Amino acid sequence: MQLSTILSPERTVCNMPGVSKKRFLTSISEHIAESSSSLSADAIYNALLAREQLGSTGIGNGIAIPHCRVQECTQIIGTLVQLDEGIDFDAIDSQQVDLLFVLIVPAEETDEHLRVLSGLARLFHQETFCQALRDASSSDELYQTAIRFSEQSQS
């Protein structure tokens, strides 16, 4: 999986205020909707919230991969976020979350959805990848770091 196919500099946010899980989901839904003319913030938020109610997407070690299918979505959209401080995300290890990759997928893309989630989980289980993301001091540096690691893991 090449992150560059689903992630853009506009959807990479460094030092985003954390506050709470619900506030994060609201803010990130608005951010994603701003960069996509076919998606509304309400549709994204409602789908992300419904998915979180099924079980937390906090995978441990300060990482969460909130994901959902949205009917109006026409292509897979990724958004990478580094929070300025960790938030409670009901993660499986009860740790605060400070790195998130939000994935919005077209409703009919079941197989691709699972393939991308699997690729993201592999990336985020690399300690050096996560530390490099945490060390980034700008959105551009965060984006470049993610893309570089993604390309390296493909070779």
Side-chain angles (χ1 to χ4, degrees):
M1 176 202 61
Q2 292 287 336
L3 276 186
S4 59
T5 62
I6 61 172
L7 182 65
S8 70
E10 299 78 32
R11 289 190 314 271
T12 305
V13 185
C14 187
N15 290 316
M16 181 180 205
V19 186
S20 70
K21 182 177 184 176
K22 194 168 186 176
R23 183 68 192 133
F24 170 78
L25 293 175
T26 300
S27 296
I28 205 61
S29 297
E30 292 166 355
H31 184 82
I32 294 168
E34 287 172 10
S35 70
S36 176
S37 59
S38 65
L39 297 174
S40 74
D42 285 344
I44 297 167
Y45 174 78
N46 289 333
L48 285 171
L49 189 60
R51 171 57 189 86
E52 287 299 320
Q53 289 172 343
L54 294 175
S56 176
T57 56
I59 64 171
N61 297 318
I63 300 154
I65 308 177
H67 57 278
C68 64
R69 294 189 184 108
V70 176
Q71 193 64 43
E72 299 81 12
C73 186
T74 57
Q75 65 182 28
I76 296 176
I77 297 172
T79 304
L80 176 61
V81 179
Q82 176 211 77
L83 296 177
D84 62 354
E85 61 183 69
I87 60 173
D88 181 9
F89 217 81
D90 303 313
I92 59 171
D93 62 358
S94 300
Q95 285 188 26
Q96 300 265 303
V97 165
D98 65 341
L99 290 177
L100 301 100
F101 196 99
V102 181
L103 191 63
I104 310 299
V105 181
E108 67 281 351
E109 292 281 353
T110 304
D111 291 341
E112 189 66 8
H113 184 177
L114 295 175
R115 190 180 68 75
V116 172
L117 274 176
S118 174
L120 288 170
R122 275 193 304 278
L123 268 175
F124 279 98
H125 276 95
Q126 296 177 37
E127 203 170 304
T128 54
F129 174 68
C130 295
Q131 191 56 54
L133 295 180
R134 288 183 171 107
D135 291 343
S137 58
S138 70
S139 294
D140 183 59
E141 183 181 355
L142 186 64
Y143 175 77
Q144 295 300 332
T145 299
I147 297 303
R148 185 177 70 250
F149 269 86
S150 170
E151 290 170 354
Q152 289 172 353
S153 71
Q154 294 297 307
S155 51

